[in-house]
Amino acid sequence: MSTNVVLKNMDEILAFEQTPLQDRNLPRTTYEALQKGAAIDPGAPALSFFLSAAAMRTPYTLTHGQLLARITQTANALRRMGLGRDNVAAYILPNMPETHFAIWGGSAAGGILAINPLMEADQMADLLKGAGVKILITLEQTPGVDIWEKASAAAKDVPSLEHILLVNFTAYMKGEGVWRDAMPLPPVSATIEGRDDISLTRLLDEIAGENASGLDFEGPGPNDTSTMLCTGGTTGLPKIVRRTHFGEVYNSWCPSLYVGAENVGPGTAALCGLPLFHTNAMLVTGLLPWMHGGHVVLASPSGYRGDGVIAGFWDMVEHYGISSYSGVPTIYGALLQVPHKDKDLSSLRFGACGAAPMPVELFNTFVNETGVKIIEAYGMTEGVLASSMNPIITDNPRIGSIGMRFPYQDMKIAILDDNDEFLRWADVDEAGVIFITGPNVFDGYLIESQNRGIWLEQDGKRWFNTGDLARCDAEGYFWMTGRKKELIIRGGHNIDPKIVEEAMHKHPAVAMAAVIGRPDAKVGEVPVMYYQKSTGVDVDLADLAAFAQEHVSERAAVPKDFISLDALPVTAVGKIHKVTLNMLEIERTIRELAGWHAAEIGSLEVVQDSSRGIVAKLSLNSGEDAMRHALGQFTFTVDM
């Protein structure tokens, strides 16, 4: 399975593809991948976990053999409880070892649905009902955490639900220097209102007596559903993406071809700080190192949001010999504020960055101050993990590029007409919509009606329309130019503007609303709302803000500003032209920065470039150095 190669250019990728994928001897399923990784050295550390940064030097650790045993026991228990190949279990959990037991044990026995514990109860209920969930794994009632309150409220409205398996932090609470693995717990007292038909037991109790040496049933096949993840924004009901076992194996193998298997294998440690309902945390800091024999450090139940995790990050790197980690740009910005000069960072091979573009200034500053290589990539849940990536070794780093496509997966730029119909494939450096096809691409959303318009039949292949805009240069590197699907990315979290707009249209003074992302140096983008007032109705900003607070369910999606226009810009067919609004926001940002830095603008024009997307053309009469530094904190393109 291990391939000691680093693909550095398109010629090497094409040469690599001369060997058929089926001859690469990859595991067929995620369970087989875990078995092969554990066989490298069953006694080597596989997973270390601690409840808080203060406890990071005394972790709870499982070896590869022990981790595989727990996953196997979980799979056997779930099958015994009725989870068949066509059934679905779900988990609503923070980052814990049990979360991985649920993911990989659940996918071995049936399908496993990941649900964001920050969702509201009604959203959780809709997802549980939509997937027909039979078994739910969630956190027991815990002081200061509201997961049980929301999960239990959601569970009572799910007719398919038969069992709830509870998880708690007791095993990880230290007493007198020892782990409290065997600490007796009181009987489960939790109940679900009006649902006597749902059994409630503890996960660790259910798996304790199960066979740990192998599956007691016929294991999954490569095309069977493994995990089911949600996508499409943190507001409203996300789409449920079904991923196959081989798709996850393939896509967890591909990054090793760009960073080197030796950087993710035995003797290396990956730090997981992103949430385990997200594909990056699950695979880049999970299956990827485990299938190569590596070690994963699970940094607190809340990951990077955990108390002291960012402040103690460099200590963790030094203590565990961390080799790699994943983060969004805001994490990199926060880490720069933490002193690191006296820490030994020699173990770090690379940091991965995705979910949102990395500002050039932040990229350069981080690399120069820490010496850590940043590997930028592009992907989406529908493509399992990633579709393109930059190589770790290059004499000419393409800062801002999302890299070259993965081998055996094709990725092209298409030119579409005004009705989103395919016209042709784009020329070199011509901007268009990214389409992908290959072994990692999902089979479709769980709800069939959501699959309309997402596929393109072309060149004898079925291509997925990502909705993202990019161009591809002559050397095969892709460069993002925008997002056709209009998602706002705030600190790595997706916000669907349509859900916010629907809520705000209920206000009597709002005739038409358009929510877009305002450039923000700290979190990438924040939502703002442009609106057209209803005739004869007046409103002040405080009223709109209060209405948004009440009617927009996701806090991060509440607009930070409300801008009234006499008429919103529209296309020839009457659709709101959000690109125009994006251009207005970029101009506003530049003028505001100039005021802050006492820079005098000579000329400023924001235009739509055919190959680069939105470009701000700026000349300055004074303050150029300060403005270059300030603008480097943002991801929009500026010609100075």
Side-chain angles (χ1 to χ4, degrees):
M1 179 176 65
S2 295
T3 305
N4 294 320
V5 62
V6 175
L7 301 174
K8 299 183 290 295
N9 54 56
M10 279 305 304
D11 287 340
E12 293 183 2
I13 292 172
L14 293 172
F16 189 80
E17 289 175 326
Q18 294 306 300
T19 298
L21 180 59
Q22 59 265 30
D23 293 342
R24 290 292 178 187
N25 194 33
L26 294 180
R28 298 165 61 254
T29 68
T30 59
Y31 185 76
E32 289 181 11
L34 291 164
Q35 285 180 305
K36 287 193 174 185
I40 296 171
D41 184 355
L47 178 63
S48 292
F49 170 71
F50 41 86
L51 282 178
S52 67
M56 71 98 171
R57 286 180 171 79
T58 53
Y60 181 90
T61 298
L62 292 171
T63 66
H64 274 275
Q66 291 169 332
L67 175 63
L68 180 62
R70 296 288 179 91
I71 290 168
T72 301
Q73 288 177 306
T74 302
N76 286 332
L78 293 174
R79 179 56 64 95
R80 170 176 54 78
M81 300 177 74
L83 187 70
R85 180 55 48 210
D86 297 326
N87 300 130
V88 180
Y91 64 92
I92 306 174
L93 290 169
N95 286 8
M96 302 174 67
E98 287 91 340
T99 314
H100 276 298
F101 304 167
I103 294 168
W104 309 114
S107 65
I112 183 77
L113 171 66
I115 296 181
N116 180 351
L118 298 178
M119 281 183 170
E120 298 302 323
D122 59 343
Q123 295 174 306
M124 293 178 178
D126 286 342
L127 290 170
L128 293 168
K129 286 187 289 187
V133 168
K134 194 170 188 177
I135 301 173
L136 172 63
I137 305 170
T138 192
L139 193 69
E140 202 161 349
Q141 190 166 24
T142 304
V145 183
D146 65 354
I147 292 177
W148 169 249
E149 285 73 16
K150 293 189 294 185
S152 59
K156 65 184 177 63
D157 296 324
V158 183
S160 60
L161 191 59
E162 298 177 3
H163 306 283
I164 295 179
L165 298 176
L166 299 170
V167 173
N168 60 62
F169 294 129
T170 303
Y172 310 109
M173 296 171 64
K174 291 168 293 184
E176 299 179 1
V178 296
W179 288 99
R180 295 158 71 174
D181 280 312
M183 180 179 178
L185 294 172
V188 172
S189 60
T191 59
I192 303 297
E193 180 185 351
R195 291 296 303 272
D196 294 337
D197 58 324
I198 298 177
S199 71
L200 288 95
T201 55
R202 292 192 175 95
L203 175 67
L204 294 185
D205 291 341
E206 289 287 354
I207 74 174
E210 296 292 339
N211 177 21
S213 61
L215 299 178
D216 292 338
F217 54 90
E218 183 179 352
N223 296 319
D224 285 332
T225 297
S226 175
T227 63
M228 303 167 72
L229 272 65
C230 303
T231 188
T234 56
T235 56
L237 182 64
K239 300 171 182 175
I240 299 176
V241 178
R242 298 171 296 183
R243 294 112 64 86
T244 66
H245 273 269
F246 185 73
E248 292 187 330
V249 171
Y250 160 81
N251 218 209
S252 297
W253 167 69
C254 283
S256 69
L257 305 175
Y258 287 63
V259 302
E262 70 278 4
N263 289 328
V264 293
T268 67
L271 186 140
C272 177
L274 296 175
L276 281 172
F277 60 81
H278 190 278
T279 187
N280 188 299
M282 186 186 295
L283 299 178
V284 176
T285 49
L287 187 60
L288 166 61
W290 284 335
M291 69 190 288
H292 290 90
H295 180 197
V296 172
V297 177
L298 206 53
S300 91
S302 299
Y304 290 127
R305 295 173 181 267
D307 185 31
V309 171
I310 291 294
F313 180 87
W314 302 116
D315 288 324
M316 296 174 199
V317 169
E318 187 174 58
H319 180 76
Y320 287 98
I322 298 297
S323 310
S324 62
Y325 61 94
S326 292
V328 296
T330 51
I331 296 299
Y332 283 86
L335 291 177
L336 273 179
Q337 308 307 311
V338 181
H340 59 271
K341 298 297 185 184
D342 61 337
K343 307 299 180 185
D344 181 3
L345 309 184
S346 59
S347 63
L348 273 175
R349 318 286 176 85
F350 67 92
C353 183
M358 172 80 87
V360 173
E361 184 75 15
L362 175 58
F363 187 108
N364 287 330
T365 301
F366 192 91
V367 172
N368 291 337
E369 289 197 13
T370 67
V372 178
K373 295 177 180 177
I374 297 176
I375 306 299
E376 292 190 90
Y378 166 80
M380 57 196 328
T381 308
E382 291 88 341
V384 173
L385 172 63
S387 291
S388 65
M389 190 173 183
N390 283 278
I392 195 170
I393 299 173
T394 175
D395 296 329
N396 180 25
R398 272 72 166 185
I399 300 173
S401 168
I402 56 174
M404 299 177 292
R405 68 167 177 84
F406 280 156
Y408 307 107
Q409 177 230 240
D410 210 350
M411 179 167 163
K412 288 186 177 182
I413 306 299
I415 303 300
L416 307 181
D417 63 18
D418 290 340
N419 296 315
D420 286 338
E421 297 292 333
F422 178 82
L423 290 177
R424 59 180 173 81
W425 294 119
D427 295 328
V428 171
D429 276 331
E430 185 179 14
V433 182
I434 300 175
F435 280 75
I436 56 175
T437 184
N440 56 317
V441 179
F442 79 137
D443 289 332
Y445 300 112
L446 183 67
I447 300 172
E448 188 57 39
S449 62
Q450 295 175 336
N451 292 313
R452 288 194 294 267
I454 66 173
W455 303 113
L456 167 69
E457 299 290 339
Q458 192 71 23
D459 303 336
K461 301 176 182 177
R462 186 173 76 159
W463 301 77
F464 173 65
N465 181 348
T466 69
D468 289 323
L469 304 179
R471 62 183 175 86
C472 183
D473 67 22
E475 295 181 313
Y477 280 84
F478 288 84
W479 304 79
M480 296 288 291
T481 61
R483 288 189 306 282
K484 191 178 181 69
K485 58 191 176 189
E486 300 177 351
L487 288 183
I488 299 166
I489 301 181
R490 178 178 181 172
H493 293 279
N494 292 344
I495 296 171
D496 185 351
K498 288 183 175 60
I499 305 301
V500 187
E501 291 159 1
E502 288 173 4
M504 296 306 295
H505 278 141
K506 297 175 183 176
H507 194 289
V510 177
M512 189 179 297
V515 176
I516 64 168
R518 169 174 288 176
D520 186 90
K522 291 184 178 179
V523 297
E525 294 178 314
V526 294
V528 297
M529 189 182 93
Y530 283 79
Y531 68 101
Q532 190 172 319
K533 289 191 293 187
S534 299
T535 303
V537 181
D538 205 2
V539 65
D540 61 29
L541 297 186
D543 181 57
L544 280 178
F547 188 88
Q549 287 287 343
E550 181 180 354
H551 291 85
V552 178
S553 60
E554 177 66 31
R555 296 303 91 194
V558 174
K560 299 302 176 187
D561 197 4
F562 301 88
I563 304 99
S564 174
L565 296 179
D566 291 337
L568 294 180
V570 295
T571 66
V573 295
K575 294 181 180 179
I576 296 176
H577 195 237
K578 289 192 174 181
V579 171
T580 299
L581 301 178
N582 293 134
M583 294 163 72
L584 288 174
E585 280 299 311
I586 289 174
E587 180 177 348
R588 181 206 61 80
T589 299
I590 293 173
R591 292 191 183 281
E592 189 173 77
L593 286 173
W596 289 347
H597 295 282
E600 182 183 349
I601 295 176
S603 63
L604 173 59
E605 182 184 18
V606 183
V607 300
Q608 177 76 359
D609 185 273
S610 61
S611 64
R612 294 187 294 165
I614 298 175
V615 178
K617 297 184 177 181
L618 172 67
S619 68
L620 294 164
N621 297 328
S622 64
E624 182 171 336
D625 288 345
M627 283 293 285
R628 284 189 183 278
H629 177 77
L631 289 168
Q633 309 295 321
F634 298 86
T635 58
F636 54 78
T637 302
V638 181
D639 283 348
M640 292 180 65

